[in-house]
Amino acid sequence: MKRRIFLVLGCLLLICEIVQPIATAEANPDQRAYHFGFKKSKNGQLPSINEEGFKSILEKHGAIFLGDTNQKDIYLTFDNGYENGYTAKILDILKERKVPSIFFVTGHYVKDQPELVQRMVSEGHIVGNHSWSHPDVTQISNDQLKNELVKVKTAVADLTSQKEMTFLRAPRGIFNESMLASSRTEGYTNVFWSVAYKDWDPATQRGSQYAYTQVMNQLHPGAVILLHSVSKDNTEAMAQMIDDARKQGYEFKSLTQMQKKTY
């Protein structure tokens, strides 16, 4: 009998250990982490996040996924976590073709490449916030998130004429409702994307034609294009991408010119 009682008590303790995290998660749905994903544009169809389960959360907190799908506008964005020797060439191409862009930078990048950050701003581009230390922002407190954002904003303001910073891209595209709400309170619009491909690994570059095809096959009105400046392929394909997109009637615009978000 005693043995049965101990077994029952043991099972009850085990059940309590299992149920508690589930109850906590249900009580705090804003802590649920998501990794941004989307259905790619194909054969002229628009991309979609309807299947991903976080559409309503992005809408609620004013996050950007794409622009007005009735306008043939393109918004070019780069993630700059570290420098791989290609950003200067990218800036040359953008300057020559008068294309505005936004570069999301980390604290490491600002400290390591101050001249390039200065050049981004002086040539009319926006510098966005990619966090100071590139953490999983769903695993830090709101105070820690604020500190991450303030440090980047302050460093860029001390270095350039850009004194305000209003666009944020979460590291690795990982987010939850809590960080969306907290960063919005700090004045940020979270920027995701509707065109992207695996370009962030310098060890797996497949040539400029591959980069060109991956991007051009996904073009659509209101596209927010995510590229990584560490990619040799992107750099070599950049000029042709821009020229051929314009031949198709697309116009490159700054995120500050985005008037409407369509999901």
Side-chain angles (χ1 to χ4, degrees):
M1 178 62 73
K2 290 183 178 180
R3 184 179 179 185
R4 288 183 180 178
I5 292 173
F6 286 132
L7 284 173
V8 171
L9 288 174
C11 288
L12 287 173
L13 288 172
L14 180 59
I15 290 171
C16 288
E17 289 178 358
I18 294 173
V19 171
Q20 185 60 40
I22 296 174
T24 301
E26 290 177 349
N28 299 284
D30 59 339
Q31 299 296 329
R32 176 183 173 184
Y34 299 90
H35 194 294
F36 185 80
F38 65 107
K39 180 181 178 181
K40 290 184 178 182
S41 173
K42 191 175 182 180
N43 297 324
Q45 296 180 346
L46 291 174
S48 172
I49 57 173
N50 291 330
E51 303 85 357
E52 303 299 332
F54 49 67
K55 175 182 175 181
S56 62
I57 296 174
L58 297 190
E59 288 180 322
K60 176 181 177 181
H61 297 285
I64 291 174
F65 157 54
L66 75 171
D68 186 351
T69 56
N70 294 312
Q71 302 294 326
K72 296 191 77 171
D73 298 331
I74 294 176
Y75 305 90
L76 192 58
T77 77
F78 293 89
D79 281 5
N80 288 67
Y82 65 97
E83 181 55 38
N84 199 30
Y86 302 118
T87 304
K89 178 60 177 177
I90 290 171
L91 286 168
D92 289 344
I93 295 169
L94 298 180
K95 183 177 181 180
E96 180 182 351
R97 285 163 171 75
K98 297 181 173 59
V99 172
S101 185
I102 181 168
F103 295 86
F104 290 96
V105 300
T106 61
H108 169 80
Y109 196 92
V110 177
K111 292 190 297 181
D112 187 56
Q113 299 294 331
E115 293 85 3
L116 286 174
V117 175
Q118 289 172 329
R119 185 177 169 190
M120 291 168 188
V121 174
S122 67
E123 294 182 2
H125 304 294
I126 303 169
V127 174
N129 208 318
H130 201 36
S131 78
W132 185 258
S133 61
H134 208 263
D136 177 346
V137 290
T138 68
Q139 299 298 312
I140 60 178
S141 69
N142 288 340
D143 285 343
Q144 289 172 313
L145 173 63
K146 181 178 179 179
N147 185 55
E148 287 274 337
L149 302 182
V150 167
K151 288 174 70 174
V152 175
K153 177 181 177 179
T154 301
V156 172
D158 289 345
L159 191 62
T160 74
S161 61
Q162 180 182 301
K163 304 308 177 186
E164 297 299 324
M165 188 169 282
T166 57
F167 295 106
L168 166 65
R169 175 162 285 154
R172 298 182 293 279
I174 302 173
F175 67 98
N176 60 16
E177 186 163 9
S178 177
M179 69 78 54
L180 291 177
S182 179
S183 58
R184 193 178 190 188
T185 298
E186 296 301 318
Y188 284 92
T189 296
N190 281 270
V191 182
F192 295 95
W193 53 87
S194 63
V195 174
Y197 78 103
K198 187 178 178 180
D199 64 340
W200 58 86
D201 186 353
T204 60
Q205 300 296 289
R206 300 175 63 175
S208 61
Q209 187 59 43
Y210 178 80
Y212 171 87
T213 301
Q214 290 296 309
V215 173
M216 297 301 288
N217 282 353
Q218 295 183 63
L219 281 190
H220 59 84
V224 178
I225 302 177
L226 163 61
L227 295 174
H228 288 78
S229 60
V230 296
S231 168
K232 180 175 182 287
D233 294 351
N234 287 343
T235 307
E236 294 179 348
M238 187 64 55
Q240 187 182 4
M241 287 180 191
I242 293 170
D243 293 346
D244 289 355
R246 282 175 165 164
K247 288 176 183 177
Q248 294 182 28
Y250 286 99
E251 182 179 357
F252 289 86
K253 290 188 175 182
S254 168
L255 283 182
T256 58
Q257 296 173 285
M258 183 182 283
Q259 300 297 318
K260 177 183 177 183
K261 298 181 288 295
T262 304
Y263 290 90

